[in-house]
Amino acid sequence: MRIILLGAPGSGKGTQGERLVAHFGIPKISTGDALRAAVKAGTELGVKAKATMDAGKLVADELVIGIVEERLSQPDAAHGFILDGFPRNTAQAKVLDDMLDRLKQPPMSRAVHLAVEDEEIIARLLDRANKEGRVDDKEDVIRHRIEVYNAETRPLLNFYGHQHKLVKVDGVGTMDEIFARIIDAL
Ligand code: ADP
């Protein structure tokens, strides 16, 4: 299983990704988590990415591509993995296809679209802001991240649709309901 989780910020990719990790016993690669860890640790990558992330913009492709390539080359990713937050634009999606080819790995199996309306997304992220205090969970930054998603990431629905890999899942409901829908769709 080589699964991409696609969906707006706050659509539940992180939560459902963790469940897929437990279900399939394969690792999850989250570029957002990796970047936040780098910021916290004050590494060169973190220093480069911080201001862009705080503004809700996409960090440079080469930074996230480096993260993914390094992680995909680890032995535990050889038999499958889940991508959360990558690819986020068409350029990254093309690089991913080439990277798997180069690493002699089979191509991605599925892209799961967790579909949630913008209004629900904003409500969820504002709620998360109160609980987790993420710097980019402020209303103006949230709106910008949704715009970036619609402009840059949404075209990937077509990209994976053309590859006959896209499955759409209703992302509103309880965590269990949504997880059951994903397993069904896969
Ligand atoms: P969310 O899905 O809630 O926006 P993420 O944790 O996936 O949160 O991403 C947080 C931030 O990290 C993004 O707004 C962006 O700045 C950066 N980021 C994560 N993944 C990528 C990526 N693939 N390409 C560019 N920037 C990324």
Side-chain angles (χ1 to χ4, degrees):
M1 273 291 176
R2 291 175 169 75
I3 303 167
I4 297 168
L5 293 171
L6 283 175
S11 59
K13 301 186 298 291
T15 313
Q16 296 300 332
E18 283 308 322
R19 296 199 164 199
L20 290 167
V21 166
H23 185 84
F24 289 114
I26 52 179
K28 175 167 80 98
I29 303 166
S30 161
T31 44
D33 286 351
L35 288 168
R36 276 186 292 279
V39 169
K40 203 168 165 199
T43 64
E44 196 186 332
L45 169 66
V47 171
K48 280 186 188 156
K50 185 177 188 319
T52 318
M53 292 175 72
D54 289 353
K57 300 184 189 330
L58 295 187
V59 307
D61 287 346
E62 62 266 24
L63 299 182
V64 286
I65 289 163
I67 294 172
V68 173
E69 176 142 20
E70 195 183 316
R71 189 64 189 83
L72 280 191
S73 312
Q74 310 281 317
D76 67 332
H79 303 292
F81 52 83
I82 295 150
L83 292 177
D84 163 8
F86 182 93
R88 235 181 173 91
N89 60 32
T90 311
Q92 292 178 12
K94 288 181 178 156
V95 168
L96 173 64
D97 284 350
D98 294 345
M99 192 191 293
L100 291 174
D101 207 40
R102 190 156 30 84
L103 296 173
K104 308 243 178 317
Q105 288 217 19
M108 297 307 299
S109 347
R110 289 269 181 281
V112 177
H113 175 207
L114 282 172
V116 181
E117 299 296 331
D118 284 1
E119 291 317 305
E120 166 77 11
I121 290 293
I122 293 169
R124 285 186 190 179
L125 292 177
L126 287 174
D127 183 56
R128 184 170 80 184
N130 291 326
K131 291 177 182 142
E132 292 177 17
R134 251 174 69 170
V135 188
D136 58 352
D137 281 346
K138 293 194 181 60
E139 187 153 2
D140 53 334
V141 182
I142 287 171
R143 290 193 187 277
H144 186 65
R145 281 158 61 212
I146 293 172
E147 280 168 25
V148 170
Y149 172 78
N150 285 322
E152 303 277 330
T153 312
R154 201 172 268 285
L156 292 182
L157 300 179
N158 275 328
F159 183 92
Y160 291 109
H162 285 305
Q163 292 192 358
H164 307 289
K165 291 177 180 168
L166 185 71
V167 291
K168 183 177 175 179
V169 169
D170 178 1
V172 181
T174 67
M175 286 186 209
D176 287 344
E177 282 164 356
I178 298 165
F179 184 66
R181 288 178 201 143
I182 294 174
I183 296 300
D184 236 35
L186 289 171

